[in-house]
């Protein structure tokens, strides 16, 4: 019984597309977070909204960076 090679669950040809799209989505969410922080008063801010927006931005920027590294040949 020979071991099976490790393969990616995502096709390699999708890496650049995923990198660009996820980084773009993450940057848009980050921009909306900064706009929200700059335009709302301290009394009207919602911690839940801030944490949710930050978590989504972090998710998309993190995976976007991962796919950017994979697309450029840096296998992490």
């Amino acid at each position: 019984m020979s071991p099976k090679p490790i393969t990616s669950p995502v096709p390699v040809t999708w890496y650049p597309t995923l990198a660009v799209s996820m980084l773009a989505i993450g940057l848009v969410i980050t921009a909306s977070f900064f706009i929200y922080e700059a335009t709302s008063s301290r009394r009207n801010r919602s911690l839940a909204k801030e944490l949710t927006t930050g978590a989504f931005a972090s998710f998309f920027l993190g995976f976007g960076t991962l796919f950017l590294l994979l697309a450029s040949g840096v296998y992490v």
Side-chain angles (χ1 to χ4, degrees), residues 19-76:
V20 170
S21 61
M22 291 187 110
L23 285 172
I25 292 169
L27 289 174
V28 167
I29 295 172
T30 302
S32 72
F33 177 79
F34 282 124
I35 291 170
Y36 174 76
E37 290 294 321
T39 58
S40 63
S41 66
R42 287 185 184 255
R43 289 185 216 125
N44 294 336
R45 290 184 186 160
S46 167
L47 180 62
K49 182 173 181 176
E50 291 178 12
L51 290 175
T52 304
T53 306
F56 277 115
S58 176
F59 173 82
F60 282 107
L61 289 174
F63 276 102
T65 303
L66 172 70
F67 284 115
L68 180 65
L69 288 170
L70 291 173
S72 63
V74 180
Y75 294 103
V76 290

Side-chain angles (χ1 to χ4, degrees), residues 1-28:
M1 189 188 252
S2 64
K4 294 181 181 181
I6 298 173
T7 59
S8 172
V10 178
V12 176
T13 56
W14 290 8
Y15 288 170
T17 306
L18 285 171
V20 170
S21 61
M22 291 187 110
L23 285 172
I25 292 169
L27 289 174
V28 167

